[in-house]
């Protein structure tokens, strides 16, 4: 199973653990991810202005160069997935904008690439049954709440990732690792996204609702594939909200994957959490007492 | 040839664009035209008189009427011509309204020229027209009604009462349709069964109604007055001739599965009579649920039956019936569960649809008429009703309004309030559509009784503990609202009955894109289909309530009775004919004909036209490689001279 | 003042002619940010329909919209609300305005927020 692979900026900076855990896991699972030779930031958010195609230039350039390496491009970060897949959709279906962008990047790229999320690789190519068989350290009974947020699910007609109102890929993934899946209604609600940058903690309202919805149903960990969700959900528990050990750590799905595959702790790369995942992971024997978290 | 040309102004419709006097002047000199006159409204009585007088004065042998579409008035003018003494098939219409003045309103000069050309073409055509006389076909004065809901039953009763036999085919084992599932009905809140059972029993015992339940129409051939219908009666595994309807078998049957009649809210035995008032009151064995039929075991019912009516060997039966008219009354279904993901319909047991609510409120239903929610049988203290679920939603459902849900939601909220006086019903609505006698008053009473209406749609419903959280909005106050409810009732869209499109194909009828049967004209011919002799009634045509359904069923019956009022029907003689000298018997025309009007006479090796099936569409004439097919009064030579008259 | 000219200007940016919105409010009912908004999403659309864009431009709502697409996913009329929100933001930003000054971001945000947040925020707010 070979794919070209787009890491994105956040995975090379604040979310290193996301990437290191994913790459290490992929290696063990026989999934070959070959990093694109030339990639640039995807832009982090898909532009919603139709009279300005400039923000499409950078993701389109990435797509065109990925096309030369093969037919499928894998991403880990939900935002990269969303932006690249939506840009690809434009390049495939909107002749006008395609021509504009192609003229600028001096390519003739027509969207004939498939952008896939690493979760889809695990589900469709490896298979969750096979994944379950590869598990070395079953996370038996770990109460884990999936959190999708927006970028994986919407717009459903373009992404076609999962049922936008009742997705289950993360649940199936967590079950394969042996977790006890905690279903909660806010798994598809927005965390507040970039409104986090607004003064006065405006985004923390929605994020708190998400955390509360998972916590109240017994979740001990929230699992995501988006660095911004991870940040927002985690930061919303700052101070009073995460008091008395009531906080729920928010981690990447690949970090749980690496733990279940029995990979060494150093690939996990937990850093700068408000609610540290350390105590939880030590309690389930996934990390030793000298942990870095 | 002496042709009269009559040019109509149609008020300003034609006269406001086309220079009518000029047209009259130009056409007057055209070869064969004995006289050209104009008049303000040719279809009016004086206009018709003018035509008749002119025919007499000028001793005309043919007429051309330049007016509106032949779809509107061809029949009128043919009759006028005939009463003036001209063969009606030597009366031609030049459509200078729909095909000229209307589309060319901004170019009066060109429109005038085009009107002259269209009239010239019509004169050329009439020149070649033969004097024909209408064909006559016999009528079998027996009707088939498909679907025995209130629409089908009403139509059947009206036809039977007028003295004709009716074959009434129903897919389910019992008749009554959805009305049998309703508890009480708006706008009067009378009990549905109480007003329905007089009808079902009348249908059941009517000497001229042949009831064929558990059956579906498999094929239809023939034409108006002369249809042959094949019906498949599915095996019931109970010999109804022996069965007394005592119900012992249903009591003994150990295999209980969800009941479709109860919308899955209760279970029923594999051998079942769906509800106490069912007509016919005879059980059927649901093969998929029966232990004997699926695995050869059990057979308890067979032992229980005192008259030995259980018959596991029973086979489907194929029946053939000859009828002269067909009424399609297959009704509706509700928007399927799988499609309302944001409300968790089909996932959370306490999110139900309108028919499920009817069953909860029904004295013979799973809760004996007490409003108890499905999950735990508790009496819900707060209930949210959501209207327009799937309706008026082009993106995730259907763009149309389902018409009845505003009313039945008001009904549900009120019935709930009557049974649970300390409960709080909330209704999310977009608009309240309560046009109808006593309807608006009915809705106003709902608010008087304490039903709280919130103007807005709901975005999401999800389960939280034992309650349901509803994310809604009230656009009147501009507030997002969240309601924690014990039960949610969805007014899901009315959609055509399953299988409607397939039935339409069997009957060669048109439907709209959703599968509702198309009427011949949305205003003027609302119960006729485009096929002569086939009529539509009830929700099969579009969503509607019981009063409208009954009205439409009565009017479909009236159409059938009009058809049956004569022993023979007339049929247009402008059909295809075969020149047997030229025909090679290749059969291309047989393939081409969409109406099955062509066959091959194998012995003589020539094609034959069944005149009464032929619609005169001309497809065969075009398809024939030997030029052996002629369309009466649309001969090749006529068409060529029409073209010459226009371009030459 | 009701103005169709204003509506058309936004249409050029958003590609979304809001005329089909029938004000059902489903967008607002499911908006995660609604609690903090001064105008609900459907009210913004209504103002745009009326061409009363000034009031929409002055609202906090356009900066609180997180482009999460929950609204457009469920809109029965297929209105791309997030595009309309963006067209309003962009109208102000293209006039040279700037909603967010990166140098004024709190130190802990600058230090801890993922790059994705900063890039997305700068794209939406400047
Ligand atoms: C929740 C709810 C509440 C309602 N409450 C009211 C009310 O209070 N007052 C009111 O006036 N109206 C009410 N209505 C509307 C009412 O149900 C309809 O107006 C009425 O039932 C329409 O009758 P119908 O005969 O056209 O269709 P149906 O009742 O659907 O009957 C159609 C029949 O045709 C049969 N059939 C379908 N396909 C075939 C086939 N291919 N071959 C043979 N048979 C077939 C079906 O099995 C069925 O028996 C309500 C509707 C709903 C959904
Ligand atoms: S009848 Fe009322 S509830 Fe039903 S679709 Fe029409 S408006 Fe909506
Ligand atoms: S959901 Fe769509 S139609 Fe309804 S108010 Fe919002 S934008 Fe308008
Ligand atoms: S895209 Fe904006 S307006 Fe729409 S639901 Fe999300 S935050 Fe609300």
């Amino acid at each position: 199973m070979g794919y070209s692979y787009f890491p994105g900026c956040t995975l090379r900076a604040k979310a290193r653990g996301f990437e290191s855990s994913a790459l290490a896991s992929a290696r063990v699972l026989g999934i070959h991810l070959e990093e694109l030779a030339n990639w640039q930031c995807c832009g982090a958010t898909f532009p919603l202005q139709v009279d300005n195609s400039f923000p499409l230039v950078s993701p389109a350039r990435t797509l065109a160069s990925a096309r030369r390496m093969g037919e499928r491009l894998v991403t880990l970060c939900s935002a990269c997935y969303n932006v690249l897949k939506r840009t690809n959709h434009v390049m495939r279906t909107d002749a006008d904008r395609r021509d504009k962008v192609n003229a600028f990047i001096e390519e003739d790229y027509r969207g004939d690439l498939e952008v896939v999320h690493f979760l889809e690789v695990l589900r469709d190519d490896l298979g969750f049954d096979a994944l379950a068989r590869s598990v070395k350290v079953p996370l038996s009974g770990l109460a884990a709440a999936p959190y999708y947020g927006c970028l994986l699910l919407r717009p459903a007609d373009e992404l076609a990732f999962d049922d936008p109102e009742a997705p289950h890929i993360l649940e199936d993934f967590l079950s394969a690792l042996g977790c006890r899946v905690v279903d909660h209604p806010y798994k598809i609600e927005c965390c507040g996204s970039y409104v986090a940058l607004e003064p006065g903690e405006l985004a923390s309202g929605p994020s708190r609702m998400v955390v509360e919805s998972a916590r109240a149903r017994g979740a001990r960990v929230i699992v995501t594939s988006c660095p911004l969700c991870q940040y927002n959900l985690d930061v919303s528990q700052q101070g009073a909200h995460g008091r008395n050990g009531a906080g729920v750590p928010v981690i990447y799905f690949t970090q749980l994957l690496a733990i279940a595959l029995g990979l060494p702790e150093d690939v996990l790369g937990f850093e700068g959490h408000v609610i540290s995942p350390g105590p939880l992971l030590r309690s389930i024997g996934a990390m030793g007492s000298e942990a870095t978290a | 040839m002496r042709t009269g040309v009559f040019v109509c102004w149609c008020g300003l419709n034609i006269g406001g664009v086309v220079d009518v006097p000029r047209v009259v002047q130009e056409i007057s000199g055209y070869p064969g035209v004995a006289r050209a006159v104009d008049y303000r409204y040719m279809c009016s009585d004086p206009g018709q008189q003018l035509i008749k007088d002119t025919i007499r004065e000028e001793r005309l042998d043919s007429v051309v009427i330049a007016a509106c579409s032949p779809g509107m008035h061809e029949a009128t003018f043919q009759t006028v011509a005939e009463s003036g003494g001209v063969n009606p098939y030597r009366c031609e219409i030049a459509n200078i309204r729909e095909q000229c003045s209307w589309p060319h309103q901004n170019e009066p000069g060109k429109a005038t020229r085009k009107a002259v050309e269209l009239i010239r073409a019509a004169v050329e055509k009439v020149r070649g027209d033969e004097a024909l006389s209408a064909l006559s076909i016999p009528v079998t004065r027996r009707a088939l009604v498909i679907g025995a809901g209130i629409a089908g039953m009403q139509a059947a009763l009206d036809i039977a009462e007028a003295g004709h036999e009716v074959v009434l085919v129903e897919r389910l084992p019992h008749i009554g349709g959805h009305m049998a599932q309703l508890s009480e009905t708006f706008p009067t809140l009378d009990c549905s069964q109480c007003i329905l059972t007089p009808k079902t029993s009348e249908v059941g015992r009517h000497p001229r109604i042949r009831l064929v339940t558990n059956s579906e129409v498999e094929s239809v051939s023939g034409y108006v007055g002369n249809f042959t219908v094949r019906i498949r009666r599915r095996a019931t595994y109970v010999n109804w001739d022996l069965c007394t309807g005592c119900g012992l078998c249903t009591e003994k049957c150990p295999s209980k599965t969800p009941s479709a009649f109860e919308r899955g809210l209760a279970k029923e035995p594999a051998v079942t009579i769906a509800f106490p008032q069912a007509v016919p009151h005879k059980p059927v064995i649901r093969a998929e649920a029966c232990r004997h039929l699926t695995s050869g075991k059990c057979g308890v019912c067979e032992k229980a039956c005192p008259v030995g009516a259980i018959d596991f060997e029973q086979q489907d039966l194929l029946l053939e019936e000859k009828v002269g008219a067909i009424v399609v009354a297959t009704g509706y279904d509700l928007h399927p569960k799988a499609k309302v993901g944001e409300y968790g319909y089909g996932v959370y047991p306490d999110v139900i649809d309108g028919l499920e609510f009817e069953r909860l409120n029904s004295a013979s239903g799973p809760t004996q008429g007490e409003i108890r929610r499905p999950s735990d049988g508790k009496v819900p203290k707060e209930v949210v009703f959501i209207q327009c679920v799937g309706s008026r939603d082009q993106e995730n459902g259907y763009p149309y309004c389902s018409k009845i849900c505003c009313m039945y939601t008001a009904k549900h909220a009120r019935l709930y309030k009557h049974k649970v006086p300390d409960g709080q019903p909330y209704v999310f609505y977009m608009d309240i559509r309560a046009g109808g006698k006593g309807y608006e008053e009915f809705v106003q009473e709902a608010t008087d009784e304490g039903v709280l209406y919130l103007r807005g749609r709901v975005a999401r419903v999800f389960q939280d503990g034992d309650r349901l959280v509803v994310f809604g909005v009230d656009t009147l106050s501009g507030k997002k609202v969240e309601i924690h409810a014990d039960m949610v009732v969805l007014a899901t869209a009315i959609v055509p009955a399953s299988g409607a499109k397939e039935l339409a194909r069997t009957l060669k009828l048109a439907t709209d894109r959703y599968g509702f049967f198309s009427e011949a004209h949305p205003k003027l011919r609302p119960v006729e289909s485009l096929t002569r002799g086939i009529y539509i009634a009830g929700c099969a045509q579009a969503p509607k309530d019981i009063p409208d359904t009954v009205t439409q069923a009565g009017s479909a019956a009236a159409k059938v009775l009009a058809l049956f009022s004569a022993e023979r029907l007339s049929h247009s003689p402008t059909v295809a004919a075969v020149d047997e000298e030229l025909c090679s018997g290749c059969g291309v025309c047989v393939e081409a004909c969409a109406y099955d009007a062509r066959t091959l006479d194998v012995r003589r090796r020539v094609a034959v036209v069944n005149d009464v099936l032929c619609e005169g569409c001309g497809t065969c004439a075009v398809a024939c490689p030997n030029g052996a097919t002629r369309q009466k009064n649309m001969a090749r030579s006529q068409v060529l001279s029409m073209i010459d008259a226009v371009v030459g | 003042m009701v103005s169709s000219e204003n509506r058309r200007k936004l249409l050029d940016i958003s590609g979304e002619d809001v005329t089909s919105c029938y004000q059902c409010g489903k967008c607002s009912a499911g908006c995660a940010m609604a609690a903090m908004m001064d105008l609900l999403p459907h009210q913004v659309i209504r103002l745009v329909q009326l061409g009363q864009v000034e009031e929409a431009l002055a609202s906090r709502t356009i900066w609180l919209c997180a482009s999460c697409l929950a609204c457009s996913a469920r809109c029965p009329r297929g209105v791309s609300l997030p595009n309309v929100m963006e067209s309003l933001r962009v109208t102000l930003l293209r006039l040279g305005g700037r909603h967010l000054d990166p140098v004024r971001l709190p130190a802990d945000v600058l230090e801890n927020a993922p790059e994705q947040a900063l890039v997305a925020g700068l794209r939406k707010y400047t």
Side-chain angles (χ1 to χ4, degrees), chain B residues 342 392 394 455 457 480, chain C residues 22-24 26 31 77:
Chain B
E342 72 268 38
R392 307 175 66 191
Q394 76 204 23
R455 200 272 166 199
R457 273 195 189 262
K480 182 178 169 175
Chain C
Y22 56 16
Q23 289 290 299
C24 69
K26 195 168 185 176
C31 175
R77 298 286 284 148

Side-chain angles (χ1 to χ4, degrees), chain B residues 566-648:
Chain B
E567 278 178 20
R568 299 187 75 83
L569 288 175
S570 73
H571 181 75
S572 166
T574 53
V575 295
V578 178
D579 184 338
E580 296 191 355
E581 302 276 280
L582 295 177
C583 176
S584 66
C586 68
V588 168
C589 55
V590 178
E591 295 288 304
C593 179
Y595 302 94
D596 296 335
R598 289 228 166 207
T599 44
L600 267 191
D601 182 329
V602 203
R603 202 174 41 80
R604 293 192 298 134
R605 291 195 55 82
V606 289
V608 186
V609 180
N610 181 335
D611 285 352
V612 291
L613 282 181
C614 175
E615 288 287 326
C617 69
T619 309
C620 51
V622 178
C624 176
N626 301 316
T629 280
R630 184 169 57 88
Q631 194 66 28
K632 286 185 189 160
N633 286 359
M634 188 60 92
R636 210 165 287 248
S637 56
Q638 277 175 293
V639 177
L640 289 174
S641 52
M642 286 170 78
I643 295 171
D644 283 345
V646 173
V647 300

Side-chain angles (χ1 to χ4, degrees), chain B residues 323-500:
Chain B
V323 297
I326 300 175
V327 177
V328 181
T330 47
Y332 68 93
D333 277 329
L334 292 182
H335 184 48
K337 292 199 180 212
K339 295 194 175 156
V340 206
E342 72 268 38
Y343 300 157
Y345 184 39
V347 179
Y348 310 129
D350 296 328
V351 177
I352 63 175
D353 69 15
L355 285 173
E356 287 165 43
F357 186 88
E358 296 284 346
R359 295 318 299 150
L360 288 186
N361 189 53
S362 171
S364 64
T367 54
Q368 285 77 45
E370 285 181 42
I371 308 293
R372 296 183 171 281
R373 62 182 196 174
S375 63
D376 55 9
K378 273 199 207 135
V379 175
K381 288 293 180 220
E382 290 190 280
V383 179
V384 168
F385 294 88
I386 307 177
Q387 294 191 176
C388 294
V389 178
S391 302
R392 307 175 66 191
D393 184 346
Q394 76 204 23
E395 295 293 313
N396 307 298
Y398 315 89
Y400 56 81
C401 165
S402 291
K403 194 164 183 217
I404 57 174
C405 4
C406 284
M407 284 306 292
Y408 79 60
T409 300
K411 174 184 78 170
H412 288 170
R414 290 184 63 188
L415 292 172
Y416 165 69
K417 191 73 185 155
H418 296 171
K419 292 212 168 140
V420 188
D422 63 338
Q424 179 61 55
Y426 302 92
V427 177
F428 283 96
Y429 72 103
M430 285 212 289
D431 305 279
I432 297 296
R433 297 184 169 173
K437 198 169 173 179
Y439 285 19
E440 173 63 20
E441 299 90 310
F442 184 89
V443 175
Q444 286 179 19
E445 274 177 69
T447 53
D448 293 345
E449 288 174 0
V451 179
L452 185 63
Y453 275 82
L454 296 101
R455 200 272 166 199
R457 273 195 189 262
V458 167
R460 249 194 109 184
V461 176
F462 58 81
Q463 186 93 42
D464 189 16
D466 74 341
R467 307 200 90 190
L468 293 158
V469 179
V470 178
F471 280 176
V473 69
D474 176 53
T475 61
L476 299 180
S477 61
K479 296 266 185 291
K480 182 178 169 175
V481 289
E482 188 175 313
I483 297 178
H484 292 238
D486 301 308
M487 189 166 85
V488 172
V489 185
L490 308 179
T492 42
I494 301 282
V495 301
S498 64

Side-chain angles (χ1 to χ4, degrees), chain A residues 197-208:
Chain A
L197 299 191
E198 282 273 276
E201 296 186 13
L202 282 162
S204 59
S207 287
R208 254 176 241 149

